Amino acid sequence: MEHLKTAVKKGFKFFVKSGIAAWVILLIIWQTASGFTLPEFLPGPVQTLQGLKEVIESGVLLEDIAISMQRVVIGWVKGLLIAIPTGLLVGRFQVVKWLVEPFVNFFRFVPAIGFLSLFLMWFGVGEESKLVLITYATVFPVVINTVAGVAGIDPVKYQAAESLGATKVQSFFTVTVPAAVPGIFTGIRLGLSSAIISIVSAEMLAANSGIGYLIYTSRLYYRTDWIFVGIVTLGLLGFLADKLLRKIGSTMFKHYGIVNQ
Amino acid sequence: MAAENKGKQGKITVKNLGKQYDAADEKKHMLFSKNINPDAIFQDDEEHYVLKGVNLTIEEGEFHIFLGASGCGKSTLLNIIAGFLDKTEGSVLLDGKEITKPGPDRGVVFQNADSAIFPWLTVYKNVEYGLKMQHVEKDRRKKIVENAIELVGLWEHKKKYPSELSGGMKQRVQIARSIASNPEILIMDEPFGALDAQTRRILQDELISIWQKTKKTILFVTHDLQEAVYLGEKISIFSAAPNANIAAKVTVPFAYPRNLNDGEVAEFTRGVHESLDKAMNAHGDKVIDKSAIAGRGFLCGS
């Protein structure tokens, strides 16, 4: 009897702590609320599942996921290639900081979607404009966190490197870069979420595939359940991608001081 | 070795050295202290100096101690010798050459090992770091690194990362890393201050043995009187800032290893203690200024 009691207690604790409880509560509220409205206005979890079945069976969803993720990854990696070196230089060299930081502090308040029309005009309706948009969205969180990572480096590390014979260039590559890894990594993660968020804007106009396209065009057919499928898919993709990224980071950069939480 | 040095030019020669406070910085700091009028401290020119008129010679192979309370003249002088700080006036020479910037001819062991060693490198790679930067070729590098790691007794731990090491082991990594570059002088800034008493004693003994094996010149900063007498051949006792100076230079006349409980050594330690007290009270008429100085972090190691 005692055993059973503790087992139940343990099970309940896990149920609440793991976040499953939160999802169950959300599903209950969602299902209940949908009961009071039309499915075209708010489809419940059950209808959404039916919608999900449709888009999976027709192969649309997997295709959309593949194309969206491809865009996210390419745009994001391009963003990283621009942002990480920029952040390192801005963080390390005062002159570069004076030259670059004003732009960063200005444009980081202009969301990617603000550039949508402009990018369409400049880069056309093809893939290019979407990738540029995602890259743009990635750059700022990565630059800002990389700069913060560099700024947080203990000056004693530079003194140590110099008194061991390192030149300024050597200490940039052997102290600044590795010591900034935790900051860079935070930037990489936030950059990814920023890239995933901006995929919807990127695919809203001038696209004929992708999760964003699915969400945006489903309203034309009054398929609100497909919109929910798209939303849930985006959330799940982001969640899983971040989890994977954290796992990779905390294994690969174990000794660089990345905290996996 | 010492015979090669002609005349009385030491390893390190400090002549009439002065170091000014950064007045603006200091005043800003003062505003946070209660009951102190910053202008009272900065009104006359001589009050602007942390160090003033310092003269010192450290001979080749000497184990030299800077002793003084945390009034911080000693850490400032150490930072100038290491090349991290600019001096205001006078000269600081290493083997007759003016010191202007840090370099591998002066190995530095920092107070806080956690900020000084590189956590992303193994013990081996940390020790190898300086040699790599100086483009020492591979085979020679390997030999030097292995010797240095052996010297500080970290052979079994050479593949570990700093996060897997104790505080005492991390300081050994720092010592090995500096010695690998074969510096002219080893500069140590209260390196054992954060260690427990037991570990500190072990490391002190090992440092003496490393010094005897390598015959390196060592400059060691401490505020611990016992440590000074236990380790040093020569002790420079610092007066309090502002206008800090070396108030007394003492030669410790005992052979190693020393026993601090021995009657003669204890008697000697008491004498050094008195000199230290006297040095600290040298500006006895400026009590307010002194307490203000002691409360700030400017240029302090701690």
Side-chain angles (χ1 to χ4, degrees):
Chain A
M1 202 53 197
E2 263 317 294
H3 263 27
L4 195 70
K5 241 181 170 174
T6 45
V8 168
K9 237 181 173 172
K10 259 189 180 168
F12 185 73
K13 202 173 168 192
F14 172 77
F15 178 65
V16 177
K17 260 181 116 174
S18 62
I20 297 174
W23 286 107
V24 170
I25 292 169
L26 183 74
L27 283 176
I28 291 171
I29 294 173
W30 183 10
Q31 184 64 56
T32 315
S34 71
F36 294 101
T37 61
L38 293 172
E40 286 78 19
F41 184 74
L42 176 65
V46 178
Q47 281 120 336
T48 304
L49 268 179
Q50 279 163 353
L52 176 69
K53 202 169 154 238
E54 274 174 48
V55 281
I56 288 180
E57 277 172 357
S58 66
V60 172
L61 183 67
L62 292 182
E63 209 176 288
D64 284 339
I65 290 177
I67 189 82
S68 285
M69 283 320 278
Q70 193 192 331
R71 285 172 184 150
V72 165
V73 169
I74 295 174
W76 171 64
V77 169
K78 280 186 177 172
L80 298 182
L81 291 178
I82 298 169
I84 294 173
T86 308
L88 288 168
L89 292 170
V90 169
R92 185 72 185 102
F93 301 106
Q94 195 62 48
V95 182
V96 184
K97 189 178 183 136
W98 288 328
L99 290 176
V100 175
E101 213 174 35
F103 297 114
V104 174
N105 283 334
F106 178 80
F107 284 109
R108 74 190 173 108
F109 294 107
V110 184
I113 196 165
F115 281 95
L116 194 62
S117 317
L118 213 49
F119 287 168
L120 281 176
M121 282 160 59
W122 287 349
F123 303 105
V125 292
E127 284 301 291
E128 190 68 21
S129 57
K130 298 171 194 66
L131 294 181
V132 171
L133 198 82
I134 295 166
T135 300
Y136 174 88
T138 306
V139 163
F140 295 98
V142 182
V143 168
I144 290 161
N145 281 283
T146 304
V147 171
V150 176
I153 298 172
D154 196 322
V156 169
K157 285 212 162 49
Y158 291 118
Q159 292 185 336
E162 268 188 90
S163 64
L164 288 163
T167 62
K168 284 269 188 288
V169 175
Q170 281 176 324
S171 88
F172 178 78
F173 287 106
T174 59
V175 179
T176 311
V177 175
V181 162
I184 295 173
F185 194 70
T186 306
I188 288 176
R189 278 180 58 200
L190 293 175
L192 180 65
S193 71
S194 182
I196 292 177
I197 289 168
S198 66
I199 185 77
V200 183
S201 337
E203 291 172 346
M204 243 161 47
L205 285 175
N208 44 29
S209 57
I211 302 285
Y213 171 76
L214 176 73
I215 293 175
Y216 195 63
T217 45
S218 293
R219 89 205 138 94
L220 299 176
Y221 313 110
Y222 257 99
R223 290 307 299 261
T224 322
D225 51 341
W226 288 354
I227 296 180
F228 273 84
V229 170
I231 290 170
V232 173
T233 307
L234 266 185
L236 269 176
L237 283 178
F239 174 77
L240 293 175
D242 188 57
K243 215 167 170 68
L244 181 70
L245 203 54
R246 276 194 314 200
K247 186 78 200 152
I248 293 171
S250 58
T251 333
M252 265 177 75
F253 299 108
K254 194 174 157 202
H255 299 288
Y256 291 73
I258 289 172
V259 200
N260 185 10
Q261 33 75 28
Chain B
M1 276 219 182
E4 285 171 16
N5 266 0
K6 283 174 196 155
K8 278 217 74 181
Q9 182 203 61
K11 187 100 256 181
I12 294 278
T13 315
V14 178
K15 275 186 212 145
N16 206 18
L17 177 89
K19 169 70 187 170
Q20 267 177 330
Y21 286 114
D22 181 341
D25 216 53
E26 282 302 281
K27 275 196 184 177
K28 204 167 68 190
H29 205 287
M30 288 284 147
L31 297 176
F32 295 103
S33 311
K34 276 185 285 179
N35 304 329
I36 292 163
N37 174 10
D39 293 328
I41 292 173
F42 294 104
Q43 66 196 173
D44 58 273
D45 274 343
E46 44 168 52
E47 292 287 334
H48 285 286
Y49 284 83
V50 194
L51 293 166
K52 181 87 180 156
V54 178
N55 287 294
L56 169 74
T57 306
I58 300 175
E59 299 292 342
E60 167 118 39
E62 189 172 289
F63 201 135
H64 196 105
I65 308 273
F66 282 179
L67 177 67
S70 315
C72 59
K74 60 190 194 305
S75 285
T76 305
L77 183 52
L78 173 134
N79 279 317
I80 292 171
I81 293 173
F84 301 141
L85 277 179
D86 289 329
K87 57 191 178 295
T88 308
E89 59 193 40
S91 69
V92 181
L93 310 172
L94 170 70
D95 288 328
K97 267 184 289 185
E98 192 73 43
I99 290 171
T100 52
K101 59 180 195 326
D105 49 359
R106 281 148 291 144
V108 183
V109 174
F110 297 88
Q111 191 172 15
N112 183 354
D114 282 314
S115 28
I117 56 180
F118 304 130
W120 54 85
L121 299 178
T122 59
V123 169
Y124 188 95
K125 298 256 174 175
N126 260 289
V127 177
E128 194 187 25
Y129 178 87
L131 301 170
K132 262 191 162 168
M133 295 301 110
Q134 297 160 50
H135 305 292
V136 174
E137 89 27 80
K138 211 174 164 194
D139 294 340
R140 237 188 93 216
R141 203 160 73 203
K142 188 163 178 277
K143 236 174 93 189
I144 297 170
V145 173
E146 287 178 356
N147 279 338
I149 293 176
E150 191 96 63
L151 184 72
V152 297
L154 283 178
W155 187 251
E156 285 100 83
H157 307 286
K158 65 177 188 293
K159 285 189 181 138
K160 286 189 182 166
Y161 284 89
S163 59
E164 301 162 287
L165 303 179
S166 67
M169 285 160 132
K170 286 178 197 167
Q171 284 305 17
R172 285 165 205 250
V173 174
Q174 274 211 79
I175 294 170
R177 183 173 77 166
S178 296
I179 281 186
S181 292
N182 195 25
E184 295 296 326
I185 179 170
L186 196 56
I187 299 172
M188 308 179 81
D189 187 7
E190 306 198 26
F192 306 147
L195 304 176
D196 62 86
Q198 196 113 27
T199 312
R200 189 183 313 160
R201 181 49 44 91
I202 294 169
L203 277 172
Q204 285 168 345
D205 287 337
E206 283 187 16
L207 181 61
I208 291 170
S209 111
I210 287 169
W211 170 62
Q212 287 169 337
K213 271 186 225 161
T214 61
K215 301 189 167 59
K216 288 264 168 263
T217 312
I218 295 182
L219 168 57
F220 190 105
V221 169
T222 182
H223 60 253
D224 181 345
L225 176 67
Q226 311 269 341
E227 186 168 61
V229 174
Y230 192 72
L231 291 176
E233 277 188 305
K234 295 265 170 63
I235 303 177
S236 288
I237 301 172
F238 279 67
S239 64
N243 298 327
N245 202 326
I246 297 172
K249 288 170 195 164
V250 195
T251 305
V252 187
F254 305 108
Y256 299 92
R258 293 166 182 163
N259 176 4
L260 290 174
N261 296 322
D262 177 87
E264 269 184 77
V265 179
E267 186 60 40
F268 180 82
T269 309
R270 262 195 296 282
V272 176
H273 194 173
E274 272 168 32
S275 310
L276 184 61
D277 273 349
K278 227 160 74 190
M280 283 291 128
N281 291 321
H283 315 289
D285 51 329
K286 290 171 187 163
V287 178
I288 292 181
D289 298 10
K290 222 174 54 182
S291 64
I293 303 295
R296 63 193 167 177
F298 179 67
L299 299 179
C300 269
S302 45

